[in-house]
C-alpha cells in the first residue's frame, strides 16, 4: 500500500523535513511513499489527525503544534511526557503514539559536532518547546544544573515544570540581569534557542562556553556562529539537530533503520553544502 507522511505546522513552507524523509524513502526502496507539508495551527490538530486514513505512516510536528500533538495522542513515550510536547506522531492500534525525537536531535548534534557526551552545568537561552527538549537531553547525559536565561520570568513556567519532572536544578535568570560571559565560561555546554538578533550583542560572551548549540540555522551564519568560530570553540547547529531528530522519526515511520548517509547528503545538497553535518 502507498503510504504518506507529512510535517504539520505554521508556517511550514520552509520546512526541510520533506528533503530528509523523501530521501530516506528513496534510499529504503519505498518508491510509493510520499512525505509532504501540511499547514496547520494548534487548534486544527485534533480534527486533522482524526481525519487521517490508514495510508498515513506518521506525522512530524513543528511549532506551534508540539503541545497539541501530545494532547491528541492516545499514548506517549516517557520522554515526550517529560518534555511536555511531541514532535512525532505515529499510528498505533486505536490511536496515535506521541514521541519527541528533538531529544535525539540535541544529543546527536552535540555529540557529532562538539564531541559532547556528558557534563554537569549548562546554560539555556529561551524557554519554548525546543528548550524543554534540550533540558531532557541534557539531563540524560548527567547535567544537573541549568541556568535558564529568559526575557521575563513569566516565560519560564513550562521549563520550570520540565526541570521539576527531571530533578534538575534550574536557575532562572532574566536577560537584563545575566552575566553572559560568566555563565558561559562556567558551563560545560550552552544551548541557544533564541533568534539571531537577540544573541548578536552578546555573541562574544556566549562563545566563552566550551561547546555551543545554536538551533537557529537561517539565516546562516548567525552572529553566535561567527563568534564561536572566532573564539575557537566548537559549534553544533540547528541543521545538525534537524538531521539527528529525523533519524528516529524515519525509523518510527518505516520500521526500518534510517539511511543516515542518504539523509545527510540530501540535506547538504538542499542547503548548498552550507555545513558539514557530521553524523
Amino acid at each position: 500500500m502507498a503510504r504518506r507522511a507529512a510535517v504539520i505546522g505554521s508556517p511550514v513552507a520552509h520546512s526541510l523535513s520533506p528533503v530528509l524523509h523523501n530521501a530516506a524513502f528513496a534510499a529504503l526502496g519505498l518508491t510509493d511513499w510520499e512525505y509532504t507539508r501540511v499547514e496547520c495551527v494548534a487548534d486544527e490538530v485534533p480534527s486533522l489527525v482524526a481525519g487521517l486514513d490508514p495510508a498515513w505512516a506518521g506525522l512530524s510536528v513543528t511549532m506551534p503544534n508540539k503541545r497539541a500533538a501530545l494532547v491528541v495522542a492516545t499514548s506517549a513515550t516517557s520522554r515526550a511526557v517529560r518534555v511536555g510536547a511531541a514532535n512525532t506522531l505515529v499510528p498505533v492500534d486505536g490511536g496515535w503514539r506521541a514521541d519527541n525525537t528533538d531529544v535525539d536531535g540535541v544529543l546527536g548534534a552535540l555529540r557529532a559536532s562538539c564531541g559532547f557526551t556528558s557534563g554537569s552545568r549548562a546554560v539555556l537561552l529561551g524557554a519554548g518547546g525546543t528548550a524543554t527538549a534540550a533540558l531532557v537531553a541534557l539531563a540524560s547525559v548527567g547535567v544537573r544544573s541549568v541556568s535558564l536565561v529568559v526575557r521575563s520570568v513569566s516565560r519560564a513556567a513550562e521549563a520550570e515544570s520540565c526541570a521539576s519532572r527531571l530533578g534538575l536544578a534550574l536557575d532562572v535568570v532574566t536577560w537584563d540581569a545575566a552575566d553572559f560571559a560568566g555563565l558561559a565560561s562556567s558551563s560545560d555546554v550552552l544551548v541557544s534557542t533564541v533568534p539571531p538578533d537577540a544573541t548578536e550583542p552578546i555573541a562574544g560572551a556566549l562563545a566563552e562556553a566550551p561547546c555551543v548549540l545554536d538551533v537557529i540555522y537561517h539565516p546562516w551564519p548567525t552572529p553566535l556562529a561567527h563568534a564561536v568560530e572566532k573564539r575557537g570553540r566548537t559549534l553544533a547547529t540547528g541543521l545538525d539537530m534537524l538531521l539527528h531528530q529525523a533519524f528516529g522519526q524515519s525509523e518510527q515511520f518505516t520500521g526500518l533503520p534510517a539511511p543516515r548517509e542518504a539523509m545527510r547528503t540530501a540535506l547538504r545538497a538542499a542547503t548548498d553544502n552550507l555545513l558539514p553535518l557530521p553524523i
Side-chain angles (χ1 to χ4, degrees), residues 4-10 12 36-40 48 56 59 65:
R4 299 185 64 190
V7 55
I8 62 171
S10 183
V12 79
T36 58
R37 303 177 183 90
V38 176
E39 188 80 16
C40 172
L48 183 147
W56 283 84
L59 297 172
N65 298 337

Side-chain angles (χ1 to χ4, degrees), residues 156-230:
E158 290 173 351
E160 288 178 313
S161 295
C162 179
S164 178
R165 291 191 291 269
L166 296 167
L168 274 178
L170 190 73
D171 179 29
V172 180
V173 183
T174 61
W175 199 272
D176 292 338
D179 171 12
F180 289 103
L183 289 171
S185 62
S186 63
S187 72
D188 298 304
V189 61
L190 182 145
V191 178
S192 174
T193 68
V194 300
D197 60 352
T199 59
E200 185 170 11
I202 55 171
L206 299 179
E208 292 299 313
C211 175
V212 175
L213 168 58
D214 185 355
V215 306
I216 305 300
Y217 57 83
H218 182 76
W220 186 262
T222 64
L224 182 52
H226 268 309
V228 170
E229 181 181 14
K230 182 177 180 180

Side-chain angles (χ1 to χ4, degrees), residues 79 111 237:
R79 65 181 176 181
R111 286 171 178 160
T237 76

Side-chain angles (χ1 to χ4, degrees), residues 245-272:
Q245 66 80 31
F247 295 152
Q249 285 188 336
S250 177
E251 291 175 353
Q252 292 186 53
F253 295 162
T254 68
L256 299 169
R260 296 188 172 211
E261 183 61 28
M263 295 170 76
R264 182 190 66 83
T265 298
L267 185 58
R268 286 195 66 201
T271 55
D272 297 322

Side-chain angles (χ1 to χ4, degrees), residues 6-22 35-39 60-63 217 239 242 245 249 267 270-271:
V7 55
I8 62 171
S10 183
V12 79
H14 68 286
S15 174
L16 291 169
S17 291
V19 171
L20 289 162
H21 290 289
N22 283 318
Y35 187 103
T36 58
R37 303 177 183 90
V38 176
E39 188 80 16
S60 306
V61 184
T62 190
M63 297 304 291
Y217 57 83
L239 283 179
L242 178 69
Q245 66 80 31
Q249 285 188 336
L267 185 58
T271 55

